[in-house]
Amino acid sequence: MHAPPPFPEPTPAATDAALVARWLEGDQAAVHELTERYYRPVCGFLLKRVQRPDLVEDLAQETFLEAVRSVKSLHRPEQFASWLFGIAHNRCGKWLRRPRLALFSAREAYEQVPAPETLSAQEEWEEQQKRLAALEKGLADLPDETRTLLDMKHRQGKTCEQIAQELGRPAGTVKSLLSRAYKTLRVRLRPLGDDP
Amino acid sequence: MSPLTCQQIEAQIELYAAGACDPRTDGAIREHLALCPACALADREARQLIGLLDVRFQEPERLERLHARLQAESQRRTRRWSPMWRPVAALAAMLLLTVGLAWSVRPGEVADVHGGGELAIALVPAMEQIGVKEASARGNPFGPKPAILPGPAPRNPFTYPLNLHGQTAKDFRAQLQAAAGTDRLPPPPEIDLSLELRNTTHEELRIAPLARRAELQLDLAGPGAVTVAGPASDDEPFRPATIVAVAPGQSFKLPIRRLVYGSRQAIRRAYWTEPGDYTLTVRYRVAVCPAPRGARPAEVPGSTAGRFGYVMLQGPPIKLQIVAAAEPTGR
């Protein structure tokens, strides 16, 4: 199983600045390092804003693409995180301001109500760090068997029935194990004091 | 299936968000969510989790695609003025297809980005080669047609009648809301359009409209536009042939006869409920072979050679004029 690397620890802003300096000199390795460092937090932010998991990859690509196009305008490289989240914020705004449908179904209803913009880019970055760290901790506490199921479902894109067939277990058991894991992780992602 | 309680919804909400419920349960949950803010909140929470898990577990593949795209962009910016790098620029143009960028294509036209070829998309009238007046004069050379205004042929081919099925607009909207996701929904408006995908590359492209994650979206916007979940049996957008080969310079046309769209997991219907000017915008996630570099791989049943990848295409909005009229006589 190809487990993704754990979420990186927060790094000092100076390191970002050094990577941006190398980026401006044409060092593609620095670009890769920064994208790998910020990919998950940016995706978490985009997900929170647009509420559409199927759009996150596209919006994240647009965010980083815009960063590549405008990195020369970044005057304070030590604030790279805030700058990048600002770009992500703008991409979300563009998507949320697109011509809308009048919707009745709850599946889409929430798309019409952007999350309140009460957090600064730096605060968003910190919030995403916490959420992703909580997710990692939650995943680490799950049994190996359950993590394997999650990998088959979310990385390999298999249905519960396909997973059940591959593992030789009833589909109901697979769904039950996944459901239990999801509920555990959902609780982990709630901010402290935000119990149902 | 009898209505579900909030406790039953809570028990299954994550599996629902992960697309792991059977179609009947899926429909019952969707109906409940439309009316229950508390469960809708749980649904949002669950979708956040599922989205984060997708990001976390697919990160290596997604980063690989991102790096490929950034590298292509970097090369394009460095070499855009050099004629010898035109093939690379064309490749970069192809990569643009993967992120759902809109480009300016008017109906019947194709885009030409950075001098390279690509797959262009537009909604066009089904009778665009002949024109409405001529089609009218010849009778109906295109087979059964949806209802268009009775009387003289309209000059604008995108004019359609308002049909509230004998109800007021308010009552009609209430009916749509109450029947969302069920077979009790009234039939969606009929239209007479084609989705045209034009291959402007120099090689044959194969298109698989039936790939698992294919999704057609018809965004209707206007004074009385309403979109609701359609019944799961409403699979009209996914009936075309499995794989279509499109030669360079040629087009593939997918008839759009009703305002039904979505993915296999979520069918939707759009309605107009007031007269006035509307816009209709098409987005189409479709599997294409050869896959543009960086595109998400697509599993295509029946494909024996070549790798398919998903591209997201978006056409320009077209204008529709909806007019209050007597019930159409049909043709």
Side-chain angles (χ1 to χ4, degrees):
Chain A
M1 187 170 91
H2 304 285
F7 184 71
E9 291 297 318
T11 49
T15 307
D16 284 353
L19 287 170
V20 170
R22 284 169 47 199
W23 179 349
L24 289 169
E25 291 167 3
D27 183 349
Q28 287 300 308
V31 182
H32 280 215
E33 196 168 337
L34 279 168
T35 51
E36 284 171 10
R37 180 176 297 173
Y38 285 102
Y39 188 74
R40 270 194 237 181
V42 164
C43 287
F45 170 72
L46 293 168
L47 185 62
K48 176 184 160 188
R49 292 279 292 149
V50 302
Q51 305 280 344
R52 286 274 302 268
D54 57 320
L55 291 176
V56 166
E57 182 175 9
D58 286 349
L59 288 172
Q61 282 202 3
E62 290 179 26
T63 297
F64 283 101
L65 199 59
E66 182 61 33
V68 165
R69 288 172 180 154
S70 57
V71 66
K72 286 181 182 172
S73 68
L74 172 59
H75 300 302
R76 302 180 70 177
E78 69 278 11
Q79 293 185 358
F80 176 80
S82 296
W83 176 76
L84 186 65
F85 271 68
I87 294 175
H89 174 86
N90 290 339
R91 301 310 299 184
C92 289
K94 191 174 174 184
W95 186 82
L96 290 165
R97 287 192 301 272
R98 77 202 189 286
R100 286 311 163 73
L101 313 175
L103 299 169
F104 282 130
S105 76
R107 183 180 281 263
E108 291 95 354
Y110 48 69
E111 288 177 19
Q112 301 183 63
V113 186
E117 297 172 20
T118 53
L119 299 181
S120 70
Q122 180 62 32
E123 288 169 329
E124 288 284 6
W125 154 240
E126 288 166 5
E127 183 191 306
Q128 293 308 323
Q129 293 263 40
K130 285 179 190 163
R131 273 159 55 89
L132 292 164
L135 180 67
E136 279 307 316
K137 177 123 185 25
L139 286 169
D141 290 345
L142 291 174
D144 287 345
E145 180 195 26
T146 308
R147 279 202 301 274
T148 301
L149 293 181
L150 289 170
D151 183 84
M152 294 174 85
K153 180 88 177 78
H154 292 278
R155 189 177 70 80
Q156 301 174 33
K158 291 181 174 161
T159 64
C160 291
E161 289 71 23
Q162 289 170 329
I163 295 170
Q165 190 174 13
E166 193 166 318
L167 298 181
R169 304 191 68 173
T173 304
V174 169
K175 286 188 181 183
S176 174
L177 287 169
L178 279 175
S179 178
R180 204 177 309 154
Y182 288 147
K183 288 193 185 303
T184 304
L185 294 172
R186 204 177 121 204
V187 170
R188 291 270 194 170
L189 285 183
R190 284 198 186 116
L192 285 176
D194 194 14
D195 292 329
Chain B
M1 189 170 189
S2 57
L4 299 175
T5 64
C6 290
Q7 287 76 19
Q8 289 171 316
I9 298 289
E10 173 58 32
Q12 304 189 69
I13 195 68
E14 296 89 359
L15 290 177
Y16 169 74
C21 288
D22 62 76
R24 288 182 66 203
T25 307
D26 202 70
I29 294 177
R30 194 161 53 235
E31 278 185 50
H32 182 102
L33 293 179
L35 302 170
C36 179
C39 289
L41 187 64
D43 178 49
R44 289 179 61 172
E45 227 178 57
R47 284 176 191 279
Q48 286 282 317
L49 169 65
I50 299 303
L52 280 180
L53 288 170
D54 282 349
V55 169
R56 195 268 188 195
F57 280 94
Q58 295 172 22
E59 187 180 48
E61 293 85 359
R62 290 186 180 199
L63 272 173
E64 193 177 324
R65 290 192 285 270
L66 173 63
H67 290 155
R69 181 131 193 256
L70 294 182
Q71 192 166 3
E73 170 68 10
S74 191
Q75 288 173 346
R76 188 183 70 80
R77 291 169 66 80
T78 306
R79 299 155 177 166
R80 67 191 305 177
W81 303 113
S82 169
M84 67 178 287
W85 289 106
R86 277 185 185 160
V88 176
L91 177 60
M94 286 292 289
L95 293 176
L96 287 176
L97 299 181
T98 63
V99 294
L101 293 180
W103 54 81
S104 57
V105 186
R106 287 189 294 276
E109 294 185 1
V110 293
D112 186 13
V113 181
H114 305 304
E118 61 187 24
L119 187 60
I121 186 173
L123 281 171
V124 296
M127 70 291 277
E128 69 161 340
Q129 299 302 320
I130 292 184
V132 174
K133 275 191 174 176
E134 193 175 355
S136 177
R138 290 184 183 188
N140 180 14
F142 300 98
K145 283 180 66 62
I148 300 185
L149 274 179
R155 291 185 62 187
N156 179 356
F158 299 130
T159 298
Y160 296 101
L162 178 68
N163 183 358
L164 299 176
H165 299 269
Q167 302 179 73
T168 64
K170 186 180 175 186
D171 289 345
F172 187 55
R173 284 194 287 267
Q175 182 195 357
L176 295 177
Q177 185 176 14
T182 72
D183 290 324
R184 300 194 310 275
L185 275 173
E190 294 180 329
I191 51 178
D192 193 18
L193 300 173
S194 289
L195 177 64
E196 179 180 9
L197 299 176
R198 185 167 296 179
N199 177 7
T200 69
T201 71
H202 299 295
E203 62 180 327
E204 180 180 273
L205 291 179
R206 284 181 294 149
I207 299 169
L210 281 177
R212 193 164 70 92
R213 291 177 188 273
E215 180 173 6
L216 173 68
Q217 189 169 340
L218 296 170
D219 282 350
L220 180 69
V226 172
T227 297
V228 294
S233 58
D234 211 354
D235 63 347
E236 180 166 306
F238 305 101
R239 291 179 193 163
T242 49
I243 298 175
V244 182
V246 186
Q250 298 300 306
S251 294
F252 163 63
K253 286 189 179 176
L254 180 68
I256 307 286
R257 298 293 188 231
R258 298 189 301 156
L259 284 178
V260 176
Y261 63 95
S263 65
R264 287 172 175 279
Q265 293 76 34
I267 298 289
R268 298 190 180 96
R269 291 182 179 187
Y271 298 82
W272 41 67
T273 65
E274 304 274 356
D277 293 333
Y278 290 71
T279 59
L280 186 65
T281 306
V282 61
R283 279 166 61 92
Y284 194 23
R285 180 166 59 207
V286 64
V288 174
C289 176
R293 196 173 155 204
R296 181 179 189 155
E299 288 179 26
V300 174
S303 169
T304 53
R307 191 174 70 84
F308 278 81
Y310 286 106
V311 297
M312 180 68 91
L313 305 163
Q314 178 169 325
I318 61 167
K319 290 183 180 174
L320 305 178
Q321 189 180 25
I322 308 307
V323 294
E327 287 291 307
T329 56
R331 289 193 230 178

